[in-house]
Amino acid sequence: MSIGIVMIFLQAPIAWIGFGALAATPEVTGAGRLYFDIRIWSAPFTLANYAFMGAIVGRGRTDVALALQVLINLGNIALNIAFVYGLSLGVQGSAAGTLAAETLGRSRVFSSRGASGAIFFPSRARLFSIPRRLPGCS
């Protein structure tokens, strides 16, 4: 998450280098800059989701990774439709919808408590616990 926060602080030089390398028309650069200026705020959430998914896939819990990806993607679709078409926000709505979906995914990972969501999003203690004995071994 720290790298994502650093990216937010360095957004001006990142944008300057990135958009300077493109040979786009001013209209495309303007739309890209609008999208970038909103989307950069999701960097900590996106990177945290990548780290979490790497950890759970490494533990063999691909079902949890799949559920998280489905949640993020369905949220992204719904929010983009609502913001772009429902609220007529255009490029800014698309960026805001994606930001909200990434935030939703990150918050859902660590908000599961009790039975609700335990199948797809178990508690951190259960997810990262080390088994004393491997299944099938005596």
Side-chain angles (χ1 to χ4, degrees):
M1 210 156 166
S2 304
I3 295 172
I5 293 170
V6 170
M7 289 174 69
I8 291 172
F9 285 120
L10 296 176
Q11 66 181 315
I14 291 170
W16 183 76
I17 292 168
F19 289 106
L22 300 174
T25 64
E27 294 84 18
V28 172
T29 300
R33 186 61 198 250
L34 277 174
Y35 187 84
F36 173 82
D37 288 343
I38 295 170
R39 256 315 250 130
I40 191 72
W41 290 93
S42 71
F45 303 109
T46 302
L47 294 173
N49 284 336
Y50 290 159
F52 178 76
M53 280 195 252
I56 60 176
V57 168
R59 298 272 306 159
R61 295 299 311 270
T62 54
D63 59 330
V64 177
L66 176 64
L68 179 61
Q69 281 302 104
V70 168
L71 175 75
I72 291 170
N73 287 314
L74 289 177
N76 191 20
I77 292 166
L79 290 168
N80 273 282
I81 290 171
F83 291 166
V84 173
Y85 295 109
L87 299 175
S88 300
L89 294 177
V91 172
Q92 292 170 316
S94 179
T98 304
L99 167 64
E102 288 287 343
T103 306
L104 170 72
R106 173 71 171 104
S107 64
R108 181 64 183 124
V109 166
F110 292 107
S111 68
S112 296
R113 299 285 189 265
S116 66
I119 293 172
F120 295 115
F121 299 99
S123 69
R124 279 184 267 172
R126 184 172 149 233
L127 182 64
F128 294 107
S129 66
I130 299 172
R132 293 180 186 228
R133 213 177 272 175
L134 293 174
C137 296
S138 53

